[in-house]
Amino acid sequence: GGRLAVDSLVLALGHLESRLNPEQRSFSEAAAELGLLYLPPAAPADVDWALVPDSEPVLVRGMGLNFFDLLGQLTESRGGRFVAAGDGLPGKLKYLPSGREPKIIAASRRGTPYRAKAGLDGYYPKSVRLRYLTESALERFAAAGIQPGFDHDLWPLLHRDALWAYYSTLVVAEPVAVSHATDFLTALEELLRPHAHATGRWENQVNELVSHHVAASRRLDLLGLAAPLAGRSFASRKALDDAVVDYLDDDARRSSLGEADPVKMAIGALHTGRAVLKSAVADGGITDQSWVGELRGWFESFVEGLASGPPALRAEQLAALARAGVVSFVGPDPRFNVDRSRRAFQAVSAWVHDDAAQARTLIEAMSPANRVGVSDSPFLRQLLADGLVRPKMMMTAEGMPVQTSGLDVHSHPYRLVGANGSVTPGLYALGLQLSSTQWGTAIAAEARPSNGPAYKSGQRTLRDADEIARDMLGLPLQK
């Protein structure tokens, strides 16, 4: 009940609880009615994992980073152990169950977990140097008075960088896969040069060149990397499990090769490009339509599934858990519902010709939605109700206004905009709630990032904090 009068207030709220969406609410209500267990989205450290019963089937939705935290809680934390696989056994690890593990049945839209990170000396691969999505390329847009779109202007540059990273690594790592390697790279470099060929689509020309020089099994399907099960169907969930384990083994093997693996270097280019994009798209750097429908519409989930994965050890552990029968999988594009007659949750994939997976427990292996409009924080909800802040609205390509995930702010420094469109004096925002003004707000700040494409990205949050502090103290902003 106390009150505190202040001259300035900085909202550095981080991750907040959010209200459940309609499907999640229906699952929560069904669990209460039927005596089931439903664990909604939450930070893994905040979940009481003792609630999850031993030995019983458990459905898990989501196979991102939270999923791997969940695996640790329900396996090693219950007494299981990973040991080195012996000679003649598949995989690098073998799992020795304690008998207390639940039977984990995992599902995600792709049907597979995030790809594992490559084994590198640093955060970014040293051999990847962006040639196309560069500061000078972005400066040319500004000099020409162009507000770039993601799909039309920025993605083609990053796509080129990923192609070059892949094929320039391939000719060294697997020279037998490429004929006339020197001529191939020279021609590829010419085709990738922006605006070098005004006639025809450059992607088609690259594909034609690749088809003449690169073995079919070694050609890059960049978008396909994020959907390794796409176009495949399975006679049973056992067949699916075998396919996922093969994927995990291959992915972990590639990670162990580090900068010698072409696939991991293509992903490394995307990862490095993310840092450039973070600066390029901030503060209205791209159009609203491009932000909503392109950057956040498809690219964000695509690149997260490739470049935001766990260490390779986690892929090896998951493969061992699947071989031990502790973990199985549902399949791509899963559908969840409640079977009231059997008093159970169930999940099914149209790509797997088997009965639906059923369990009395459903766990959402994901964090609460980072959307201020559905925040369950009493503090933020009160600010919204009082009109001191408002969610940022953007226009879609169809001319429809949509509410975005972050708060509306006036930059720089980031001062909050109220419901009537005026700047609320003395009220600032920093961090995750800037997700409609900045992209990649959850990527950690670096006090002394190394020079290179990540420089501006790594120091942005600290620069934002410094600008707010200077403004509160009445000091001029630094250039």
Side-chain angles (χ1 to χ4, degrees):
R3 292 176 178 269
L4 184 65
V6 297
D7 297 314
S8 301
L9 176 64
V10 183
L11 304 186
L13 304 177
H15 291 281
L16 298 171
E17 297 294 321
S18 65
R19 297 192 295 277
L20 301 183
N21 64 34
E23 183 190 46
Q24 292 165 346
R25 285 198 302 273
S26 71
F27 288 158
S28 180
E29 292 165 358
E33 176 188 344
L34 301 174
L36 309 177
L37 176 62
Y38 176 68
L39 297 181
D46 296 336
V47 177
D48 182 1
W49 296 107
L51 295 172
V52 180
D54 297 355
S55 304
E56 291 187 11
V58 171
L59 279 171
V60 177
R61 178 157 61 174
M63 283 195 273
L65 295 184
N66 281 12
F67 171 67
F68 290 96
D69 290 340
L70 172 153
L71 285 181
Q73 292 289 343
L74 298 182
T75 57
E76 287 185 290
S77 292
R78 296 195 174 191
R81 291 188 300 120
F82 292 98
V83 298
D87 291 341
L89 294 178
K92 287 190 175 182
L93 298 175
K94 178 181 179 180
Y95 182 71
L96 303 179
S98 69
R100 296 186 53 224
E101 300 88 351
K103 302 297 184 184
I104 300 167
I105 309 170
S108 71
R109 182 173 55 83
R110 296 180 180 90
T112 57
Y114 281 13
R115 284 189 178 269
K117 288 184 171 65
L120 304 174
D121 292 335
Y123 194 55
Y124 299 99
K126 294 177 181 177
S127 61
V128 170
R129 293 289 184 270
L130 299 184
R131 293 166 154 236
Y132 308 102
L133 186 66
T134 61
E135 295 289 340
S136 59
L138 299 177
E139 289 168 0
R140 286 195 293 271
F141 288 124
I146 296 172
Q147 185 184 28
F150 181 76
D151 281 7
H152 185 269
D153 300 302
L154 301 179
W155 168 244
L157 298 177
L158 183 53
H159 188 184
R160 285 173 165 89
D161 279 312
L163 287 167
W164 180 258
Y166 179 86
Y167 287 113
S168 62
T169 305
L170 180 68
V171 298
V172 176
E174 300 182 57
V176 296
V178 184
S179 64
H180 304 96
T182 301
D183 293 341
F184 167 68
L185 287 182
T186 299
L188 178 64
E189 188 171 23
E190 175 62 22
L191 289 178
L192 292 180
R193 190 160 56 89
H195 312 302
H197 296 265
T199 60
R201 289 178 58 87
W202 68 270
E203 297 100 325
N204 295 340
Q205 295 171 320
V206 168
N207 289 339
E208 184 176 352
L209 175 69
V210 167
S211 69
H212 280 91
H213 288 271
V214 181
S217 63
R218 294 297 184 266
R219 296 169 192 167
L220 176 62
D221 176 10
L222 189 58
L223 297 181
L225 292 180
L229 302 181
R232 299 177 63 182
S233 60
F234 302 90
S236 65
R237 283 183 41 223
K238 174 62 170 64
L240 167 72
D241 292 348
D242 291 343
V244 176
V245 168
D246 288 343
Y247 157 79
L248 292 168
D249 287 342
D250 178 70
D251 194 50
R253 178 188 63 82
R254 291 182 179 280
S255 292
S256 69
L257 295 174
E259 301 201 20
D261 183 71
V263 167
K264 294 298 177 177
M265 289 307 95
I267 294 171
L270 296 177
H271 181 42
T272 306
R274 244 190 337 188
V276 177
L277 287 173
K278 184 177 177 182
S279 297
V281 305
D283 304 320
I286 59 174
T287 64
D288 283 4
Q289 298 91 328
S290 184
W291 181 287
V292 172
E294 298 168 0
L295 181 72
R296 300 295 298 271
W298 72 269
F299 179 75
E300 184 173 81
S301 63
F302 163 72
V303 75
E304 284 181 354
L306 296 177
S308 294
L313 173 64
R314 301 304 179 204
E316 294 167 358
Q317 290 176 337
L318 179 55
L321 289 167
R323 288 190 175 97
V326 175
V327 176
S328 61
F329 304 93
V330 173
D333 302 317
R335 300 193 309 276
F336 286 77
N337 56 55
V338 178
D339 186 332
R340 292 180 174 274
S341 64
R342 299 187 181 184
R343 304 176 78 87
F345 297 107
Q346 65 178 19
V348 64
S349 168
W351 303 102
V352 181
H353 306 301
D354 208 336
D355 294 336
Q358 294 197 342
R360 292 176 52 80
T361 298
L362 172 58
I363 304 171
E364 304 279 13
M366 60 191 76
S367 296
N370 179 34
R371 297 186 64 86
V372 297
V374 296
S375 171
D376 209 26
S377 160
F379 175 63
L380 185 54
R381 291 173 67 179
Q382 187 66 54
L383 289 175
L384 289 164
D386 290 344
L388 295 175
V389 301
R390 69 181 185 185
K392 184 174 178 63
M393 304 294 291
M394 288 187 180
M395 300 295 290
T396 67
E398 295 75 28
M400 297 292 293
V402 295
Q403 186 183 106
T404 60
S405 59
L407 291 169
D408 197 0
V409 294
H410 185 278
S411 63
H412 276 265
Y414 290 117
R415 293 166 291 164
L416 274 301
V417 175
N420 64 359
S422 65
V423 174
T424 303
L427 192 57
Y428 305 86
L430 184 66
L432 288 185
Q433 283 69 45
L434 294 174
S435 60
S436 295
T437 299
Q438 295 183 5
W439 182 66
T441 50
I443 299 174
E446 298 176 79
R448 294 179 178 86
S450 58
N451 289 328
Y455 180 75
K456 290 185 179 180
S457 170
Q459 56 92 50
R460 171 172 287 277
T461 297
L462 298 182
R463 187 201 69 184
D464 295 341
D466 187 67
E467 288 181 348
I468 290 172
R470 297 182 71 86
D471 195 63
M472 288 193 296
L473 296 171
L475 301 175
L477 299 186
Q478 293 179 326
K479 297 294 185 182

